[in-house]
Amino acid sequence: MAAARLPQERRVVTEIPGPRSRELQARRAAAVPPGVGSVLPVYVTDAGGGVVVDADGNSLIDFGSGIAVTGVGNANPRVAERVRAQAERFTHTCFMVTPYESYVAVCEALNRLTPGDHDKRSFLVNSGAEAVENAVKIARYATGRQAVVVFDHGYHGRTLLTMTLTAKNMPYKQGFGPYAPEVYRMPLAYPYRWPTGPENCGPEAAAQVADQISAQIGASNVAAVVIEPIQGEGGFIVPAPGFLPALAEFCRANGILLIADEVQTGFARTGAMFACEHEGVVPDLVTTAKGIAGGLPLAGVTGRAEIMDRVHGGGLGGTFGGNPLACEAALAVLEEIGTGGLVDRARRIGEIMLPRLRALAARHDVVGDVRGRGAMIAIELVKGGGSTEPDPVLTAEIARRCHAAGLLVLTCGTYGNVLRFLPPLVIPEHLLREGLDILERAFGG
């Protein structure tokens, strides 16, 4: 891993947010609609390694990575250099007008790295939502079917179709209907909240999904099943063991395409290059974004060649999809993951975080569940005293205490009661441990 450019230290010199950030927040209020929210209104001037520096000179420990985007570190030197060199050559031609090699190279890498050794094709777009929307388009075209199956607690984006695919109403869907047709929601194998217990969750949930699809939709009408191998915004829910393989088998048996939404889970985040690999699941199509390009907007759709090749010429694409700057950034990210050993590094982060969080749960019964893989970890907060009732108020208060102490953490979950941790894969271990100390103090020890 490259040496960090910034001092890798937490430094709190003002209240958070400080006076300069508050000034900028006042300007924002007059220029930006309130529908565009922010977790913590500190205005960033620099970032790298495991820290984010704000306009008041505070240096915060970063447990967010821009929502799993800057896994290789913010302003990674290899990424920055390749982007700079590309910007001096050309910044845009539109791949659909006059193509360029870096787009092809990124697609070759996606074809090689995504699960499965079958022949694949990839193309590039701008965002995770755009990737998911295109994957559904391709599945419908290839199968001649219309129905799409998604899951409780799932999140897939904010466009009309992906908002429809998303489970949570507020803030993603409220008031924005009507929604897209032919989308059906199924129960997820959510171990912590499965009625008969986590040990029964995988097989019971898989059987329930198969039964509901067959009885309520008709398997022959389903083009695709879309699932996050680990749910992101829905609460970092790791499906119970066996659920994903059983789902994949049901899809194969019924001519349904399995789409793995690896937007948040991809590119070493979970201690595997892609989260599907943990249970040996090989999807028909994979969508990627977030961690793909070190902070530049890029996303991909990768699928079996016989599926991808069916779409007619001109049916896929977009003006900015696979922008040359973003493609160079993606190639640098993939180099950094390989040379920096970041798959192993993600596993190491999990090995440090999970025992500490489980010990925290043993001391505080408001921590109902600790879960995750690699550097994608969460704790679910409840009322305590034996109750599993979600506690979003406590969750927000713990996040506020962390922020005030100089630790950037994110919340998520259908009930707003999950603290999620997505540190950069390059975060120094001393900052990782210090961040966990701050979290423990936020709980009172």
Side-chain angles (χ1 to χ4, degrees), residues 101-426:
E101 183 180 0
S102 58
Y103 184 115
V104 177
V106 172
C107 292
E108 289 172 336
L110 289 172
N111 295 343
R112 182 178 69 254
L113 293 170
T114 49
D117 56 6
H118 51 276
D119 193 18
K120 302 171 195 165
R121 303 283 187 270
S122 295
F123 73 101
L124 305 177
V125 290
N126 302 289
S127 70
E130 195 178 348
V132 172
E133 187 133 353
N134 273 279
V136 171
K137 280 170 49 178
I138 293 164
R140 284 173 164 165
Y141 193 102
T143 63
R145 305 174 181 181
Q146 295 185 345
V148 178
V149 169
V150 289
F151 291 87
D152 290 339
H153 312 290
Y155 177 87
H156 301 286
R158 296 174 184 260
T159 62
L160 174 61
L161 178 58
T162 58
M163 177 178 62
T164 306
L165 302 177
T166 293
K168 189 175 180 179
N169 178 55
M170 190 67 185
Y172 306 120
K173 302 169 75 167
Q174 177 63 33
F176 296 138
Y179 306 114
E182 288 297 311
V183 173
Y184 301 87
R185 196 167 310 283
M186 296 291 146
L188 181 79
Y190 187 168
Y192 178 62
R193 296 192 175 275
W194 195 253
T196 60
E199 65 280 1
N200 301 314
C201 183
E204 288 184 1
Q208 192 171 335
V209 169
D211 179 68
Q212 288 186 209
I213 290 175
S214 299
Q216 298 179 20
I217 310 166
S220 63
N221 296 317
V222 178
V225 168
V226 185
I227 190 165
E228 302 158 275
I230 300 174
Q231 289 191 325
E233 304 301 312
F236 280 30
I237 301 166
V238 182
F243 178 75
L244 290 175
L247 188 65
E249 178 55 36
F250 176 81
C251 288
R252 278 192 298 272
N254 289 279
I256 300 169
L257 300 184
L258 180 63
I259 300 174
D261 180 342
E262 292 261 12
V263 167
Q264 193 160 162
T265 53
F267 301 100
R269 172 55 58 182
T270 68
M273 194 63 182
F274 295 95
C276 281
E277 297 174 45
H278 290 289
E279 289 196 89
V281 172
V282 178
D284 298 295
L285 297 108
V286 179
T287 61
T288 51
K290 288 193 184 293
I292 192 174
L296 275 73
L298 188 69
V301 182
T302 303
R304 296 182 181 275
E306 65 270 21
I307 296 167
M308 302 289 280
D309 286 348
R310 291 185 193 179
V311 179
H312 55 270
L316 305 172
T319 301
F320 292 105
N323 171 272
L325 301 178
C327 286
E328 289 292 337
L331 294 172
V333 164
L334 294 174
E335 290 174 6
E336 193 72 25
I337 290 172
T339 61
L342 296 189
V343 172
D344 291 338
R345 179 63 187 154
R347 294 194 198 106
R348 173 63 179 160
I349 289 170
E351 289 168 358
I352 293 171
M353 295 193 75
L354 284 169
R356 291 279 300 268
L357 295 173
R358 288 171 181 146
L360 181 71
R363 296 193 301 272
H364 300 277
D365 65 358
V366 295
V367 181
D369 194 28
V370 177
R371 55 183 179 251
R373 296 186 191 272
M376 187 174 181
I377 305 291
I379 55 176
E380 180 166 353
L381 303 189
V382 294
K383 296 290 188 181
S387 170
T388 60
E389 181 183 350
D391 196 339
V393 174
L394 176 62
T395 305
E397 174 59 20
I398 296 295
R400 186 198 66 76
R401 293 174 190 172
C402 289
H403 295 163
L407 173 64
L408 176 57
V409 298
L410 308 177
T411 61
C412 65
T414 298
Y415 313 110
N417 69 318
V418 176
L419 285 167
R420 57 175 161 169
F421 311 113
L422 291 160
L425 305 182
V426 297

Side-chain angles (χ1 to χ4, degrees), residues 11-24 41-45 53-60:
R11 185 176 63 252
V12 179
V13 297
T14 71
E15 69 273 35
I16 297 175
R20 179 62 180 146
S21 282
R22 293 198 299 270
E23 290 175 10
L24 290 166
V42 297
Y43 283 74
V44 176
T45 59
V53 179
D54 72 10
D56 293 286
N58 299 298
S59 177
L60 286 72

Side-chain angles (χ1 to χ4, degrees), residues 61-124:
I61 299 174
D62 183 9
F63 272 18
S65 298
I67 316 183
V69 169
T70 55
V72 299
N74 222 308
N76 177 281
R78 182 177 268 134
V79 172
E81 175 54 29
R82 289 192 72 145
V83 170
R84 182 202 62 76
Q86 178 59 48
E88 292 179 350
R89 295 192 296 270
F90 64 92
T91 56
H92 175 77
T93 68
C94 184
F95 188 77
M96 298 185 301
V97 177
T98 51
Y100 35 90
E101 183 180 0
S102 58
Y103 184 115
V104 177
V106 172
C107 292
E108 289 172 336
L110 289 172
N111 295 343
R112 182 178 69 254
L113 293 170
T114 49
D117 56 6
H118 51 276
D119 193 18
K120 302 171 195 165
R121 303 283 187 270
S122 295
F123 73 101
L124 305 177

